[in-house]
Amino acid sequence: MIVLKFGGTSVGSVESLRSVVEIVRSRMNKAPIVVVSALSKVTDLLYKICEKEESFEDDLKALRLRHHSFIEEYFAESPQTVLQLKSEIDTYVNSITDICIQPEFSYRDRAAVISCGELMSSLIACTALNKGGVPTSRIDARQFMFCNGDPLKSSPDMSMINHHTPALIARHRMLNPDSKVIITQGFICATISGKPAVLGRGGSDYSASIIAWALNADAVEIWTDVNGIRDADPRYVENTHCLPLLSYDQADAIVKAGAKVLHPLTLEPARMRNIPVYVLNTYNPEGEYTLILPEDHKLLK
Ligand code: ADP
Ligand code: ASP
Ligand code: MG
């Protein structure tokens, strides 16, 4: 079993989502759990919507349009699918509107609104996988990703997650015997009593590692828009080099020093069970990548 996480840019364009389908197909025999972020820029827009600025109505329109245009382009050959998905997106956008216009708008409500980014992207990606011949079923991460504390920067409740996730996933597989792949959302979580929350910005990497830990996965693959962890941020520095092999300590030092490529807590769950973490490029799946291994692994000696 492996966990594959696709970030916002990986599910953010029609071309990249096609690549996601091919990557998942190539790993179908490894019982993958796919973790997705919201479409790129959507979480920023949801935070803005929560501010209820003057542009509130336009922001909601932009949110709807971002998903509708994506669906129209991706599923152009299948008008029925376009209609169905657009109506499901409308349901999410309407629920966001309803939550935002309540007179009392708590941090919990904000978390509910912000969670819709991942709920919408996972719906679209699940449909894309099924349409692409990769039988996939969707599971709501809030059924097993339990958390405590600040609704907008929650702490995972590792013991509850460890306790519930394996049985929940096993049951889901039993009830969906034809589906080869399970897709779920990164970043979003819930208290044990079902109150919505999120893990904090960039938290989908952390979700993927937590899921891998809870299921004792063989590997976590973090699919993003760069060829592995580099010796500098390629957004600001030219001619960076891929760091092909790192220990948990080395990678941890890089991300805790601020390299935005991984959420700073990503490596902690994986290292607790010695699970290898790969960082790969959705736009160049055969290109260079980083492999992160336990310090005592023979490849590192
Ligand atoms: P995702 O949407 O896939 O989670 P992010 O934008 O969160 O992607 O992370 C990928 C980005 O991290 C890259 O586009 C890159 O600009 C940035 N980054 C920062 N430091 C590094 C680094 N040392 N190596 C690779 N990428 C880096
Ligand atoms: N969508 C969330 C964010 O933009 C989580 C993630 O991308 O990892 O912060
Ligand atoms: Mg990220």
Short mmCIF file of all heavy atoms in Angstrom, two decimals, residues 63-127:
data_model
loop_
_atom_site.label_atom_id
_atom_site.label_comp_id
_atom_site.label_asym_id
_atom_site.label_seq_id
_atom_site.Cartn_x
_atom_site.Cartn_y
_atom_site.Cartn_z
N LEU A 63 -14.95 31.69 -7.51
CA LEU A 63 -14.79 30.31 -7.00
C LEU A 63 -15.59 29.33 -7.86
O LEU A 63 -15.08 28.27 -8.27
CB LEU A 63 -15.28 30.26 -5.55
CG LEU A 63 -15.18 28.91 -4.87
CD1 LEU A 63 -13.71 28.55 -4.59
CD2 LEU A 63 -15.96 28.90 -3.54
N ARG A 64 -16.83 29.73 -8.14
CA ARG A 64 -17.70 28.86 -8.95
C ARG A 64 -17.10 28.70 -10.36
O ARG A 64 -16.97 27.59 -10.87
CB ARG A 64 -19.08 29.53 -9.03
CG ARG A 64 -20.22 28.62 -9.47
CD ARG A 64 -21.51 29.42 -9.64
NE ARG A 64 -22.02 30.04 -8.43
CZ ARG A 64 -22.90 29.48 -7.61
NH1 ARG A 64 -23.38 28.29 -7.87
NH2 ARG A 64 -23.31 30.13 -6.53
N LEU A 65 -16.68 29.84 -10.92
CA LEU A 65 -16.18 29.83 -12.29
C LEU A 65 -14.89 29.01 -12.42
O LEU A 65 -14.70 28.28 -13.39
CB LEU A 65 -15.93 31.28 -12.74
CG LEU A 65 -15.60 31.46 -14.21
CD1 LEU A 65 -16.80 31.05 -15.07
CD2 LEU A 65 -15.23 32.93 -14.51
N ARG A 66 -14.02 29.13 -11.42
CA ARG A 66 -12.75 28.38 -11.44
C ARG A 66 -13.05 26.89 -11.60
O ARG A 66 -12.41 26.19 -12.38
CB ARG A 66 -12.00 28.64 -10.13
CG ARG A 66 -10.79 27.75 -9.88
CD ARG A 66 -9.58 28.28 -10.63
NE ARG A 66 -8.36 27.60 -10.24
CZ ARG A 66 -7.83 26.57 -10.90
NH1 ARG A 66 -8.40 26.11 -11.99
NH2 ARG A 66 -6.70 26.02 -10.49
N HIS A 67 -14.04 26.39 -10.85
CA HIS A 67 -14.35 24.96 -10.91
C HIS A 67 -15.17 24.63 -12.15
O HIS A 67 -14.90 23.62 -12.82
CB HIS A 67 -15.06 24.52 -9.61
CG HIS A 67 -14.16 24.57 -8.42
ND1 HIS A 67 -14.02 25.68 -7.65
CD2 HIS A 67 -13.30 23.64 -7.91
CE1 HIS A 67 -13.12 25.46 -6.70
NE2 HIS A 67 -12.67 24.22 -6.82
N HIS A 68 -16.13 25.48 -12.47
CA HIS A 68 -16.94 25.19 -13.66
C HIS A 68 -16.07 25.15 -14.93
O HIS A 68 -16.21 24.24 -15.75
CB HIS A 68 -18.03 26.26 -13.84
CG HIS A 68 -19.22 26.04 -12.95
ND1 HIS A 68 -20.41 26.68 -13.13
CD2 HIS A 68 -19.41 25.25 -11.87
CE1 HIS A 68 -21.30 26.29 -12.21
NE2 HIS A 68 -20.68 25.43 -11.42
N SER A 69 -15.19 26.13 -15.09
CA SER A 69 -14.38 26.16 -16.33
C SER A 69 -13.48 24.94 -16.39
O SER A 69 -13.28 24.34 -17.45
CB SER A 69 -13.47 27.39 -16.43
OG SER A 69 -14.00 28.46 -15.79
N PHE A 70 -12.94 24.60 -15.23
CA PHE A 70 -12.06 23.42 -15.18
C PHE A 70 -12.83 22.18 -15.64
O PHE A 70 -12.36 21.40 -16.48
CB PHE A 70 -11.55 23.24 -13.75
CG PHE A 70 -10.48 22.21 -13.63
CD1 PHE A 70 -9.15 22.55 -13.73
CD2 PHE A 70 -10.81 20.87 -13.47
CE1 PHE A 70 -8.15 21.58 -13.65
CE2 PHE A 70 -9.83 19.89 -13.39
CZ PHE A 70 -8.50 20.24 -13.48
N ILE A 71 -14.03 22.01 -15.10
CA ILE A 71 -14.86 20.83 -15.41
C ILE A 71 -15.23 20.83 -16.89
O ILE A 71 -15.14 19.80 -17.58
CB ILE A 71 -16.11 20.84 -14.50
CG1 ILE A 71 -15.70 20.53 -13.06
CG2 ILE A 71 -17.18 19.88 -15.00
CD1 ILE A 71 -16.76 20.89 -12.02
N GLU A 72 -15.63 22.01 -17.39
CA GLU A 72 -16.04 22.09 -18.82
C GLU A 72 -14.88 21.69 -19.72
O GLU A 72 -15.07 21.01 -20.72
CB GLU A 72 -16.50 23.51 -19.16
CG GLU A 72 -17.92 23.77 -18.71
CD GLU A 72 -18.27 25.25 -18.67
OE1 GLU A 72 -17.48 26.08 -19.16
OE2 GLU A 72 -19.35 25.56 -18.12
N GLU A 73 -13.68 22.13 -19.34
CA GLU A 73 -12.54 21.82 -20.20
C GLU A 73 -12.13 20.34 -20.06
O GLU A 73 -11.94 19.65 -21.05
CB GLU A 73 -11.38 22.74 -19.84
CG GLU A 73 -10.28 22.74 -20.90
CD GLU A 73 -9.07 23.59 -20.52
OE1 GLU A 73 -9.20 24.47 -19.64
OE2 GLU A 73 -7.99 23.33 -21.10
N TYR A 74 -12.05 19.88 -18.82
CA TYR A 74 -11.54 18.52 -18.62
C TYR A 74 -12.49 17.46 -19.17
O TYR A 74 -12.07 16.48 -19.78
CB TYR A 74 -11.28 18.24 -17.12
CG TYR A 74 -10.46 16.98 -16.92
CD1 TYR A 74 -9.07 17.06 -16.79
CD2 TYR A 74 -11.05 15.72 -16.90
CE1 TYR A 74 -8.31 15.92 -16.64
CE2 TYR A 74 -10.30 14.57 -16.76
CZ TYR A 74 -8.93 14.68 -16.64
OH TYR A 74 -8.17 13.55 -16.51
N PHE A 75 -13.79 17.67 -18.94
CA PHE A 75 -14.76 16.63 -19.31
C PHE A 75 -15.54 17.03 -20.57
O PHE A 75 -16.70 16.62 -20.74
CB PHE A 75 -15.72 16.36 -18.14
CG PHE A 75 -15.02 15.90 -16.89
CD1 PHE A 75 -14.78 16.77 -15.84
CD2 PHE A 75 -14.57 14.58 -16.75
CE1 PHE A 75 -14.12 16.36 -14.69
CE2 PHE A 75 -13.91 14.16 -15.60
CZ PHE A 75 -13.68 15.05 -14.56
N ALA A 76 -14.89 17.81 -21.45
CA ALA A 76 -15.58 18.35 -22.64
C ALA A 76 -16.30 17.27 -23.45
O ALA A 76 -17.35 17.53 -24.03
CB ALA A 76 -14.58 19.10 -23.51
N GLU A 77 -15.77 16.07 -23.44
CA GLU A 77 -16.37 15.00 -24.25
C GLU A 77 -17.61 14.41 -23.60
O GLU A 77 -18.26 13.56 -24.20
CB GLU A 77 -15.41 13.82 -24.46
CG GLU A 77 -13.98 14.19 -24.59
CD GLU A 77 -13.47 14.32 -25.99
OE1 GLU A 77 -13.58 15.43 -26.58
OE2 GLU A 77 -12.93 13.32 -26.46
N SER A 78 -17.90 14.77 -22.37
CA SER A 78 -18.96 14.09 -21.64
C SER A 78 -19.92 15.11 -20.98
O SER A 78 -19.83 15.41 -19.79
CB SER A 78 -18.29 13.19 -20.60
OG SER A 78 -19.23 12.61 -19.80
N PRO A 79 -20.87 15.65 -21.79
CA PRO A 79 -21.75 16.72 -21.29
C PRO A 79 -22.53 16.33 -20.03
O PRO A 79 -22.74 17.17 -19.15
CB PRO A 79 -22.72 16.96 -22.46
CG PRO A 79 -22.11 16.31 -23.65
CD PRO A 79 -21.15 15.26 -23.18
N GLN A 80 -22.88 15.06 -19.91
CA GLN A 80 -23.63 14.62 -18.73
C GLN A 80 -22.79 14.78 -17.46
O GLN A 80 -23.26 15.24 -16.42
CB GLN A 80 -24.04 13.14 -18.95
CG GLN A 80 -25.14 12.65 -18.07
CD GLN A 80 -26.38 13.58 -18.10
OE1 GLN A 80 -26.78 14.05 -19.17
NE2 GLN A 80 -26.93 13.87 -16.93
N THR A 81 -21.52 14.39 -17.58
CA THR A 81 -20.60 14.54 -16.43
C THR A 81 -20.42 16.01 -16.08
O THR A 81 -20.38 16.38 -14.90
CB THR A 81 -19.23 13.90 -16.78
OG1 THR A 81 -19.46 12.57 -17.22
CG2 THR A 81 -18.28 13.91 -15.62
N VAL A 82 -20.32 16.85 -17.12
CA VAL A 82 -20.14 18.29 -16.87
C VAL A 82 -21.33 18.82 -16.08
O VAL A 82 -21.16 19.49 -15.05
CB VAL A 82 -20.00 19.06 -18.22
CG1 VAL A 82 -20.06 20.57 -18.00
CG2 VAL A 82 -18.69 18.67 -18.91
N LEU A 83 -22.53 18.46 -16.51
CA LEU A 83 -23.74 18.93 -15.82
C LEU A 83 -23.76 18.47 -14.37
O LEU A 83 -24.01 19.25 -13.44
CB LEU A 83 -24.98 18.36 -16.51
CG LEU A 83 -25.59 19.16 -17.64
CD1 LEU A 83 -26.83 18.46 -18.16
CD2 LEU A 83 -25.94 20.57 -17.15
N GLN A 84 -23.49 17.19 -14.19
CA GLN A 84 -23.55 16.59 -12.85
C GLN A 84 -22.53 17.25 -11.91
O GLN A 84 -22.86 17.66 -10.79
CB GLN A 84 -23.28 15.08 -13.00
CG GLN A 84 -23.11 14.30 -11.71
CD GLN A 84 -24.39 14.26 -10.90
OE1 GLN A 84 -25.49 14.29 -11.46
NE2 GLN A 84 -24.26 14.23 -9.58
N LEU A 85 -21.28 17.36 -12.40
CA LEU A 85 -20.23 17.92 -11.54
C LEU A 85 -20.49 19.39 -11.23
O LEU A 85 -20.29 19.84 -10.09
CB LEU A 85 -18.86 17.77 -12.19
CG LEU A 85 -18.22 16.38 -12.11
CD1 LEU A 85 -16.90 16.36 -12.87
CD2 LEU A 85 -17.98 15.98 -10.66
N LYS A 86 -20.94 20.14 -12.25
CA LYS A 86 -21.20 21.56 -12.01
C LYS A 86 -22.30 21.73 -10.96
O LYS A 86 -22.23 22.62 -10.12
CB LYS A 86 -21.58 22.27 -13.32
CG LYS A 86 -20.34 22.60 -14.16
CD LYS A 86 -20.65 23.04 -15.56
CE LYS A 86 -21.28 24.39 -15.64
NZ LYS A 86 -21.45 24.83 -17.06
N SER A 87 -23.27 20.85 -11.01
CA SER A 87 -24.34 20.99 -10.01
C SER A 87 -23.82 20.64 -8.61
O SER A 87 -24.19 21.26 -7.61
CB SER A 87 -25.57 20.19 -10.47
OG SER A 87 -25.93 19.25 -9.53
N GLU A 88 -22.90 19.66 -8.54
CA GLU A 88 -22.33 19.34 -7.21
C GLU A 88 -21.46 20.50 -6.69
O GLU A 88 -21.45 20.80 -5.50
CB GLU A 88 -21.55 18.03 -7.27
CG GLU A 88 -22.49 16.84 -7.46
CD GLU A 88 -21.80 15.50 -7.36
OE1 GLU A 88 -21.18 15.22 -6.32
OE2 GLU A 88 -21.88 14.71 -8.33
N ILE A 89 -20.75 21.14 -7.62
CA ILE A 89 -19.94 22.32 -7.21
C ILE A 89 -20.87 23.42 -6.72
O ILE A 89 -20.62 24.06 -5.69
CB ILE A 89 -19.07 22.83 -8.40
CG1 ILE A 89 -18.02 21.80 -8.80
CG2 ILE A 89 -18.44 24.20 -8.08
CD1 ILE A 89 -17.00 21.44 -7.74
N ASP A 90 -21.99 23.60 -7.42
CA ASP A 90 -22.95 24.63 -6.99
C ASP A 90 -23.43 24.37 -5.56
O ASP A 90 -23.61 25.30 -4.78
CB ASP A 90 -24.14 24.69 -7.94
CG ASP A 90 -23.75 25.33 -9.28
OD1 ASP A 90 -22.67 25.95 -9.33
OD2 ASP A 90 -24.51 25.19 -10.25
N THR A 91 -23.64 23.10 -5.25
CA THR A 91 -24.09 22.76 -3.89
C THR A 91 -23.04 23.21 -2.87
O THR A 91 -23.37 23.79 -1.82
CB THR A 91 -24.35 21.24 -3.77
OG1 THR A 91 -25.23 20.87 -4.82
CG2 THR A 91 -24.93 20.86 -2.44
N TYR A 92 -21.76 22.96 -3.17
CA TYR A 92 -20.70 23.41 -2.24
C TYR A 92 -20.70 24.94 -2.14
O TYR A 92 -20.62 25.50 -1.05
CB TYR A 92 -19.32 22.93 -2.70
CG TYR A 92 -19.05 21.47 -2.38
CD1 TYR A 92 -18.90 20.52 -3.38
CD2 TYR A 92 -18.94 21.04 -1.05
CE1 TYR A 92 -18.65 19.17 -3.08
CE2 TYR A 92 -18.69 19.71 -0.74
CZ TYR A 92 -18.55 18.79 -1.76
OH TYR A 92 -18.29 17.47 -1.46
N VAL A 93 -20.76 25.60 -3.30
CA VAL A 93 -20.67 27.07 -3.27
C VAL A 93 -21.89 27.66 -2.54
O VAL A 93 -21.75 28.61 -1.77
CB VAL A 93 -20.52 27.65 -4.71
CG1 VAL A 93 -20.47 29.18 -4.68
CG2 VAL A 93 -19.25 27.11 -5.37
N ASN A 94 -23.04 27.05 -2.73
CA ASN A 94 -24.23 27.54 -2.00
C ASN A 94 -24.07 27.33 -0.49
O ASN A 94 -24.45 28.19 0.31
CB ASN A 94 -25.51 26.84 -2.49
CG ASN A 94 -25.82 27.22 -3.93
OD1 ASN A 94 -25.31 28.23 -4.43
ND2 ASN A 94 -26.63 26.43 -4.61
N SER A 95 -23.48 26.19 -0.12
CA SER A 95 -23.32 25.97 1.32
C SER A 95 -22.31 26.96 1.89
O SER A 95 -22.47 27.46 3.01
CB SER A 95 -22.93 24.52 1.62
OG SER A 95 -21.56 24.33 1.44
N ILE A 96 -21.28 27.30 1.12
CA ILE A 96 -20.31 28.31 1.57
C ILE A 96 -21.04 29.64 1.80
O ILE A 96 -20.85 30.31 2.83
CB ILE A 96 -19.18 28.47 0.52
CG1 ILE A 96 -18.31 27.21 0.50
CG2 ILE A 96 -18.35 29.72 0.78
CD1 ILE A 96 -17.32 27.16 -0.65
N THR A 97 -21.89 30.00 0.84
CA THR A 97 -22.63 31.26 0.96
C THR A 97 -23.48 31.24 2.22
O THR A 97 -23.47 32.19 3.01
CB THR A 97 -23.54 31.46 -0.28
OG1 THR A 97 -22.79 31.12 -1.44
CG2 THR A 97 -24.05 32.88 -0.39
N ASP A 98 -24.19 30.15 2.42
CA ASP A 98 -25.07 30.05 3.60
C ASP A 98 -24.27 30.21 4.90
O ASP A 98 -24.70 30.89 5.82
CB ASP A 98 -25.79 28.69 3.63
CG ASP A 98 -26.82 28.57 2.52
OD1 ASP A 98 -27.16 29.63 1.93
OD2 ASP A 98 -27.25 27.44 2.22
N ILE A 99 -23.12 29.54 4.95
CA ILE A 99 -22.33 29.63 6.20
C ILE A 99 -21.85 31.07 6.41
O ILE A 99 -21.91 31.61 7.51
CB ILE A 99 -21.12 28.66 6.16
CG1 ILE A 99 -21.59 27.21 6.01
CG2 ILE A 99 -20.26 28.81 7.41
CD1 ILE A 99 -20.48 26.21 5.71
N CYS A 100 -21.37 31.69 5.32
CA CYS A 100 -20.78 33.03 5.46
C CYS A 100 -21.79 34.09 5.84
O CYS A 100 -21.43 35.07 6.50
CB CYS A 100 -20.09 33.44 4.16
SG CYS A 100 -18.57 32.56 3.86
N ILE A 101 -23.03 33.93 5.41
CA ILE A 101 -23.99 35.01 5.69
C ILE A 101 -24.67 34.88 7.05
O ILE A 101 -25.46 35.74 7.43
CB ILE A 101 -25.05 35.18 4.56
CG1 ILE A 101 -25.87 33.89 4.40
CG2 ILE A 101 -24.39 35.57 3.24
CD1 ILE A 101 -26.99 34.03 3.37
N GLN A 102 -24.32 33.82 7.79
CA GLN A 102 -24.87 33.74 9.16
C GLN A 102 -24.36 34.93 9.96
O GLN A 102 -23.21 35.32 9.81
CB GLN A 102 -24.33 32.49 9.87
CG GLN A 102 -24.80 31.19 9.31
CD GLN A 102 -24.10 30.06 10.06
OE1 GLN A 102 -24.76 29.26 10.64
NE2 GLN A 102 -22.78 30.02 10.05
N PRO A 103 -25.19 35.45 10.87
CA PRO A 103 -24.72 36.59 11.68
C PRO A 103 -23.52 36.21 12.55
O PRO A 103 -22.59 36.99 12.73
CB PRO A 103 -25.94 36.96 12.54
CG PRO A 103 -26.98 35.91 12.29
CD PRO A 103 -26.58 35.07 11.13
N GLU A 104 -23.53 34.99 13.10
CA GLU A 104 -22.37 34.52 13.88
C GLU A 104 -21.48 33.73 12.93
O GLU A 104 -21.95 32.76 12.33
CB GLU A 104 -22.84 33.59 14.99
CG GLU A 104 -23.79 34.24 15.96
CD GLU A 104 -23.22 34.26 17.35
OE1 GLU A 104 -22.54 33.27 17.72
OE2 GLU A 104 -23.43 35.27 18.05
N PHE A 105 -20.24 34.13 12.80
CA PHE A 105 -19.36 33.44 11.85
C PHE A 105 -18.08 33.07 12.61
O PHE A 105 -17.17 33.89 12.75
CB PHE A 105 -19.09 34.36 10.65
CG PHE A 105 -18.29 33.73 9.55
CD1 PHE A 105 -18.66 32.52 8.98
CD2 PHE A 105 -17.15 34.37 9.05
CE1 PHE A 105 -17.92 31.95 7.94
CE2 PHE A 105 -16.41 33.82 8.02
CZ PHE A 105 -16.80 32.61 7.47
N SER A 106 -18.06 31.86 13.14
CA SER A 106 -16.97 31.46 14.05
C SER A 106 -15.76 30.93 13.27
O SER A 106 -15.84 30.70 12.06
CB SER A 106 -17.48 30.36 14.98
OG SER A 106 -17.79 29.22 14.19
N TYR A 107 -14.68 30.66 14.00
CA TYR A 107 -13.50 30.05 13.35
C TYR A 107 -13.84 28.64 12.86
O TYR A 107 -13.30 28.17 11.87
CB TYR A 107 -12.31 30.06 14.31
CG TYR A 107 -11.71 31.44 14.36
CD1 TYR A 107 -11.90 32.26 15.46
CD2 TYR A 107 -11.00 31.94 13.28
CE1 TYR A 107 -11.39 33.55 15.49
CE2 TYR A 107 -10.48 33.23 13.29
CZ TYR A 107 -10.68 34.03 14.40
OH TYR A 107 -10.18 35.31 14.40
N ARG A 108 -14.76 27.98 13.54
CA ARG A 108 -15.22 26.67 13.09
C ARG A 108 -15.90 26.80 11.73
O ARG A 108 -15.71 25.98 10.83
CB ARG A 108 -16.22 26.21 14.12
CG ARG A 108 -16.33 24.80 14.53
CD ARG A 108 -15.13 23.94 14.55
NE ARG A 108 -14.59 23.73 15.87
CZ ARG A 108 -13.45 23.10 16.10
NH1 ARG A 108 -12.71 22.63 15.12
NH2 ARG A 108 -13.02 22.94 17.32
N ASP A 109 -16.72 27.86 11.59
CA ASP A 109 -17.41 28.09 10.32
C ASP A 109 -16.39 28.38 9.20
O ASP A 109 -16.54 27.91 8.07
CB ASP A 109 -18.40 29.26 10.43
CG ASP A 109 -19.54 28.96 11.39
OD1 ASP A 109 -19.96 27.79 11.44
OD2 ASP A 109 -20.00 29.88 12.09
N ARG A 110 -15.38 29.15 9.55
CA ARG A 110 -14.33 29.42 8.56
C ARG A 110 -13.70 28.11 8.10
O ARG A 110 -13.46 27.89 6.91
CB ARG A 110 -13.20 30.28 9.16
CG ARG A 110 -13.55 31.73 9.25
CD ARG A 110 -12.43 32.50 9.94
NE ARG A 110 -12.91 33.83 10.20
CZ ARG A 110 -12.45 34.92 9.61
NH1 ARG A 110 -11.44 34.86 8.77
NH2 ARG A 110 -12.96 36.10 9.88
N ALA A 111 -13.43 27.23 9.07
CA ALA A 111 -12.82 25.95 8.71
C ALA A 111 -13.74 25.17 7.78
O ALA A 111 -13.27 24.54 6.82
CB ALA A 111 -12.50 25.15 9.97
N ALA A 112 -15.05 25.23 8.05
CA ALA A 112 -16.00 24.51 7.19
C ALA A 112 -15.94 25.06 5.77
O ALA A 112 -15.95 24.30 4.78
CB ALA A 112 -17.41 24.63 7.75
N VAL A 113 -15.84 26.37 5.64
CA VAL A 113 -15.77 27.01 4.32
C VAL A 113 -14.47 26.63 3.61
O VAL A 113 -14.47 26.20 2.45
CB VAL A 113 -15.88 28.56 4.47
CG1 VAL A 113 -15.50 29.27 3.19
CG2 VAL A 113 -17.29 28.94 4.92
N ILE A 114 -13.36 26.74 4.35
CA ILE A 114 -12.05 26.50 3.73
C ILE A 114 -11.90 25.03 3.30
O ILE A 114 -11.26 24.73 2.29
CB ILE A 114 -10.94 26.97 4.71
CG1 ILE A 114 -10.98 28.50 4.83
CG2 ILE A 114 -9.56 26.51 4.27
CD1 ILE A 114 -10.30 29.05 6.05
N SER A 115 -12.55 24.13 4.06
CA SER A 115 -12.47 22.70 3.73
C SER A 115 -13.08 22.37 2.36
O SER A 115 -12.77 21.33 1.77
CB SER A 115 -13.23 21.87 4.77
OG SER A 115 -12.70 22.07 6.04
N CYS A 116 -13.96 23.24 1.90
CA CYS A 116 -14.65 22.94 0.62
C CYS A 116 -13.68 22.88 -0.56
O CYS A 116 -13.98 22.22 -1.56
CB CYS A 116 -15.74 23.97 0.35
SG CYS A 116 -17.14 23.76 1.48
N GLY A 117 -12.53 23.54 -0.47
CA GLY A 117 -11.56 23.48 -1.58
C GLY A 117 -11.15 22.05 -1.87
O GLY A 117 -11.20 21.56 -3.01
N GLU A 118 -10.77 21.33 -0.82
CA GLU A 118 -10.31 19.94 -0.97
C GLU A 118 -11.50 19.02 -1.30
O GLU A 118 -11.36 18.05 -2.04
CB GLU A 118 -9.62 19.46 0.31
CG GLU A 118 -8.11 19.72 0.36
CD GLU A 118 -7.70 21.18 0.46
OE1 GLU A 118 -8.56 22.04 0.75
OE2 GLU A 118 -6.51 21.48 0.23
N LEU A 119 -12.68 19.35 -0.73
CA LEU A 119 -13.85 18.50 -1.03
C LEU A 119 -14.19 18.60 -2.52
O LEU A 119 -14.49 17.60 -3.18
CB LEU A 119 -15.05 18.92 -0.15
CG LEU A 119 -14.84 18.61 1.34
CD1 LEU A 119 -15.90 19.29 2.19
CD2 LEU A 119 -14.85 17.09 1.59
N MET A 120 -14.09 19.82 -3.08
CA MET A 120 -14.41 19.99 -4.51
C MET A 120 -13.33 19.36 -5.40
O MET A 120 -13.64 18.68 -6.38
CB MET A 120 -14.59 21.47 -4.84
CG MET A 120 -15.81 22.07 -4.16
SD MET A 120 -16.24 23.75 -4.71
CE MET A 120 -15.02 24.73 -3.83
N SER A 121 -12.06 19.58 -5.06
CA SER A 121 -11.00 19.02 -5.92
C SER A 121 -11.03 17.49 -5.90
O SER A 121 -10.81 16.84 -6.93
CB SER A 121 -9.62 19.52 -5.49
OG SER A 121 -9.30 19.00 -4.23
N SER A 122 -11.32 16.91 -4.73
CA SER A 122 -11.32 15.44 -4.66
C SER A 122 -12.50 14.86 -5.45
O SER A 122 -12.40 13.79 -6.04
CB SER A 122 -11.34 14.95 -3.21
OG SER A 122 -12.47 15.42 -2.53
N LEU A 123 -13.58 15.60 -5.50
CA LEU A 123 -14.73 15.17 -6.31
C LEU A 123 -14.33 15.16 -7.80
O LEU A 123 -14.57 14.17 -8.52
CB LEU A 123 -15.89 16.16 -6.09
CG LEU A 123 -17.08 16.04 -7.02
CD1 LEU A 123 -17.84 14.75 -6.75
CD2 LEU A 123 -18.02 17.25 -6.86
N ILE A 124 -13.69 16.24 -8.23
CA ILE A 124 -13.29 16.33 -9.64
C ILE A 124 -12.24 15.26 -9.97
O ILE A 124 -12.35 14.55 -10.98
CB ILE A 124 -12.75 17.75 -9.95
CG1 ILE A 124 -13.87 18.79 -9.77
CG2 ILE A 124 -12.15 17.82 -11.36
CD1 ILE A 124 -13.41 20.24 -9.85
N ALA A 125 -11.24 15.13 -9.10
CA ALA A 125 -10.17 14.16 -9.38
C ALA A 125 -10.71 12.73 -9.36
O ALA A 125 -10.29 11.89 -10.17
CB ALA A 125 -9.04 14.34 -8.37
N CYS A 126 -11.64 12.45 -8.46
CA CYS A 126 -12.22 11.10 -8.39
C CYS A 126 -12.95 10.79 -9.71
O CYS A 126 -12.80 9.70 -10.28
CB CYS A 126 -13.18 11.03 -7.20
SG CYS A 126 -13.87 9.41 -6.93
N THR A 127 -13.69 11.77 -10.20
CA THR A 127 -14.42 11.56 -11.46
C THR A 127 -13.42 11.39 -12.62
O THR A 127 -13.61 10.53 -13.49
CB THR A 127 -15.36 12.76 -11.72
OG1 THR A 127 -16.12 12.99 -10.54
CG2 THR A 127 -16.28 12.50 -12.89
#
